[in-house]
Amino acid sequence: MTSIAALYRDRDALPLRTRLVFTFGAVTALHAAAVVLLLAGTLNGGGQVLTLGLVATAYLAGVKHSYDCDHLAAIDNSTRKFVAQKQDPVSVGFAFSLGHSSVVTLAGALVIAGASMVGGLMEDGTAGNLALGLVGSGMSGLFLLAMGLFNGSAFAQSARAYRRVRNGAAVDPRDLEPQGLVARLLARPLARVRRPRNIYVIGFLFGLGFDTATTIGLLMMTTAASLAGVPPFTLLALPLAFAAAMTLCDSLNGLAMMRMYRSALDDPQRKLGFNALVTGISAVSALFIAVITLGGFVHAAFGLHDPVTAWLGSVELGDAGLLLVALLLAVWGGAALASRQPRNTSRQRN
């Protein structure tokens, strides 16, 4: 136990591959736990078809939820911040999704235990639902606003540097780091977000709102299955399957973002423009989602009836996440093809 504790304290000094093994080992452990609970529920007399259907539905709900636009923007912008600080943030996606799924898992466990208060938290108009919704939307909106401004500062810095390089200037390594007034103003608010593990708390706060269709659907499905007499082990497998799927997809997303931003730092002169473009997309997406989230927060908190905040509060960001993923992958793929073109041309000349 002493050696394990020492290894945990010194985890930031571990090799990149070792940290990857630990991160995806934890994801595998969540999958294994869900499978064990599924098998235990089946052996205890639960219908196999119903059991498999419920767990598969919960797993697919976790996959879908991981591509909500607020998830992607939070993971993407946090990864950009850590990479700019010369870190290798392999576990940003895992930490965020683990914090988010902790809320869902806790709520699912309370549903299984028969706690009626969870139904009140999911019901629109109740005091509990309003309070948690304000906490979740307020914290997520402010965090995305801060990260969007921080990365917006980095985008402005990269864009200026790109123009200078195109005019023949040399690349300054500081050109790829956020500087200026905005970065200095946000240094204190973001000071506590120093390591990827700090994102766990952000993910937990994001999950408090119970404001997404997939989260509410999972808990309602768990409630209905409990009333139908589904074995407790199977019921416990539902939130765990949801968490396993979400941590897998968010971990892969965080790893892809880390590789994307690190590739912009490995060869600054060639990829300075790519770095500016991707950072700009991340900043704009974070600011866009922050405006929508905070608009809904203001609408609910102050009981406004104007059409603008009412519309912002009704916007569903689930499908927009897939568009953001497609856009980032298209930019990454385009940059990879462009970087190979000069080498192919030189080979043809030779």
Side-chain angles (χ1 to χ4, degrees):
M1 293 298 293
T2 304
S3 61
I4 295 177
L7 187 64
Y8 179 78
R9 287 193 299 269
D10 298 333
R11 60 193 176 280
D12 292 331
L14 293 174
L16 177 63
R17 182 171 297 181
T18 302
R19 283 182 286 143
L20 280 172
V21 169
F22 277 116
T23 298
F24 285 96
V27 173
T28 303
L30 283 174
H31 281 76
V35 170
V36 169
L37 289 173
L38 171 62
L39 294 176
T42 303
L43 293 176
N44 284 339
Q48 293 185 358
V49 176
L50 175 61
T51 300
L52 290 174
L54 288 172
V55 174
T57 302
Y59 191 87
L60 292 176
V63 173
K64 181 180 183 300
H65 194 62
S66 68
Y67 288 102
D68 279 1
C69 210
D70 56 345
H71 273 238
L72 296 171
I75 295 169
D76 183 12
N77 283 264
S78 301
T79 301
R80 172 65 180 81
K81 174 182 183 292
F82 291 131
V83 171
Q85 295 170 346
K86 305 297 188 296
Q87 298 185 46
D88 293 320
V90 299
S91 58
V92 169
F94 175 77
F96 180 87
S97 58
L98 188 64
H100 196 293
S101 59
S102 294
V103 176
V104 179
T105 303
L106 178 60
L110 290 175
V111 167
I112 296 169
S116 59
M117 67 175 183
V118 178
L121 297 178
M122 292 186 293
E123 185 178 349
D124 288 336
T126 62
N129 179 268
L130 179 61
L132 287 181
L134 290 176
V135 171
S137 61
M139 292 303 300
S140 61
L142 290 175
F143 177 75
L144 289 174
L145 178 64
M147 295 304 298
L149 292 174
F150 183 85
N151 287 328
S153 174
F155 165 73
Q157 184 80 12
S158 299
R160 288 193 297 267
Y162 180 67
R163 288 194 297 267
R164 290 198 305 269
V165 170
R166 291 195 65 180
N167 292 330
V171 177
D172 188 336
R174 292 176 298 176
D175 289 338
L176 294 173
E177 300 177 9
Q179 300 177 15
L181 178 62
V182 175
R184 289 196 294 271
L185 289 176
L186 292 173
R188 185 177 295 274
L190 296 177
R192 294 186 178 275
V193 187
R194 296 188 296 268
R195 296 288 186 273
R197 59 182 175 272
N198 301 138
I199 303 298
Y200 174 88
V201 178
I202 304 298
F204 188 89
L205 293 173
F206 268 54
L208 286 178
F210 292 103
D211 55 352
T212 59
T214 49
T215 301
I216 296 174
L218 174 71
L219 295 177
M220 293 298 292
M221 182 175 66
T222 305
T223 303
S226 177
L227 295 176
V230 174
F233 283 120
T234 301
L235 295 175
L236 287 172
L238 298 181
L240 271 182
F242 181 88
M246 192 159 55
T247 54
L248 175 61
C249 295
D250 280 346
S251 296
L252 291 173
N253 174 45
L255 183 61
M257 291 300 105
M258 184 193 75
R259 292 192 60 184
M260 183 182 295
Y261 287 123
R262 283 184 63 189
S263 68
L265 298 180
D266 291 341
D267 189 357
Q269 186 168 359
R270 172 175 287 184
K271 298 179 179 176
L272 190 58
F274 164 70
N275 178 70
L277 179 59
V278 175
T279 302
I281 293 172
S282 300
V284 169
S285 66
L287 293 174
F288 175 72
I289 300 165
V291 168
I292 292 176
T293 304
L294 292 176
F297 170 84
V298 172
H299 178 77
F302 298 101
L304 302 180
H305 299 285
D306 64 290
V308 176
T309 58
W311 177 77
L312 291 174
S314 65
V315 173
E316 176 60 47
L317 294 173
D319 296 333
L322 295 176
L323 296 177
L324 180 59
V325 170
L327 179 59
L328 290 171
L329 290 177
V331 171
W332 193 7
L337 291 175
S339 65
R340 293 179 181 180
Q341 190 64 35
R343 288 195 291 267
N344 294 335
T345 303
S346 63
R347 287 177 183 174
Q348 290 174 1
R349 290 177 179 176
N350 293 334

